[in-house]
Amino acid sequence: MVKAYKSVAQASVGRAAITRIPIRSDQASAHHSLRTKAYALTTEAVARAFQTPQYLILFVSDQCWMKCAHCWFNEEWKEAELTQPALTFDEYERVAQSMSRVTFLSITGGEAFHRADIAELATMVCKSTRVGRYQIPTSGYRTDKILADTEKMLLANPNTPLRIDVSLDGPRDIHNEIRRIRDGYERAIETIAALTKLKRKHAHFDVGVITTISKSNQHVVAEMAALVETVHPAGEWMINIARGASRDPAAIEVNPEAYREAHLLLQARIERGKYNGHSGHLAAKWLSAKNAARREIIYDIITGKREGGGCAAGAAAGVIHSDGEVRACEMLDDSMGNVRNFDYDLRRMWQSHGARALRDRIQTTRCQCTQECFLSTSMLLSPDAWRRMTHARWTMGNSKGTS
């Protein structure tokens, strides 16, 4: 059975952002059966066609400068799940060389910039395999280091678009309380400004701001929207929702209407022509449109309006943890195995019997969650999502300043 942190019943009551949709007796219709089989065949075909995940989350550090209340990557999870020694630089290189292409690479942790060699590691991956785009999320706490490492990566990889996303979870007191650090807000604001200045020098660089809606900040959504527009007027605002077994168990108790309020405030900004969204590559505006459609879908999920199934985790997208364990999704404990046991050959692991069995279970259990990365890849398999994305792109294209 595919394990998840929260069942759909718990999610509906607690407003958790992690959901699994088991097949109930009233769902066992011919339509649902055919739909499940169609998605199973599609995701398996995707996995075989690309051989390795095209959307890859690569954990490179277990350390962080903060202990955020809403974080699922906490001490309890790491103690239970990270059971092997951390991969060395050379081991990361061997894994990277086993992949012919990664369309999108997210380098994360912990805090990726906690590594002294993050610029060298990112560059090595970009040069060992064909990386279409890459991104690093950060708390923004050490401005000078983040700025220096980012510029190194931009200069070393001039043909590969890079985005740095800085977390900003509310006004000063709320942000610092959530992040459990005294000066986190000030450092984040400083880093956003410094990276935005660097962006003017590099056409292949983009800067984003990520806000995670949780119980601690859901009452100041309007204030957050105004704050982001002030400190980051020219870039993307990504609105996430707390999920998983967070450090503070109450963090996931989010009122869906608070999340929807953030979405509507951003949509209003788009419609009045005050939003530029993503930049730095040809598909940037479509990414902003995808994010808008994704927010609508997440609202449908957390209010119980969206049918489960069709997840691309384990087919188009996957996770490599810092100890070498490979998972279909951040929110599923089940491992495909450790890269060390496959001689660092991710292609062989991705096509293994265990990987195929996990993909099949994801479809037969009609797994669904609000993990934004995996939802993005799953949207590519959904006609409804494409309709929403097309509408969102049309709206942006017809709003002054966002075409």
Side-chain angles (χ1 to χ4, degrees), residues 221-288:
V221 165
E223 193 173 348
M224 282 192 293
L227 172 64
V228 173
E229 185 171 2
T230 299
V231 303
H232 191 55
E236 183 79 4
W237 181 30
M238 282 156 284
I239 304 167
N240 290 1
I241 188 166
R243 60 179 180 265
S246 50
R247 188 175 274 112
D248 174 6
I252 60 175
E253 295 173 6
V254 179
N255 184 337
E257 298 311 313
Y259 181 83
R260 184 168 183 266
E261 180 186 2
H263 166 65
L264 292 176
L265 287 167
L266 184 48
Q267 287 303 109
R269 187 176 156 194
I270 291 171
E271 290 169 8
R272 68 175 190 266
K274 298 296 183 181
Y275 188 72
N276 290 327
H278 282 304
S279 62
H281 55 94
L282 293 176
K285 299 310 175 190
W286 276 101
L287 286 187
S288 293

Side-chain angles (χ1 to χ4, degrees), residues 18 23 105 166 181 186 219 252 382:
I18 308 304
I23 298 178
L105 173 69
V166 183
I181 198 163
E186 292 80 1
H219 61 291
I252 60 175
S382 167

Side-chain angles (χ1 to χ4, degrees), residues 51-52 91 94-100 320 326 338-352:
Q51 295 293 301
T52 54
E91 288 178 310
R94 291 182 66 182
V95 174
Q97 290 171 346
S98 75
M99 299 179 285
S100 60
I320 301 178
V326 177
N338 194 291
V339 293
R340 293 179 173 114
N341 297 330
F342 286 81
D343 197 27
Y344 307 95
D345 188 344
L346 187 60
R347 181 185 291 104
R348 184 158 65 93
M349 177 186 287
W350 209 247
Q351 303 304 315
S352 67

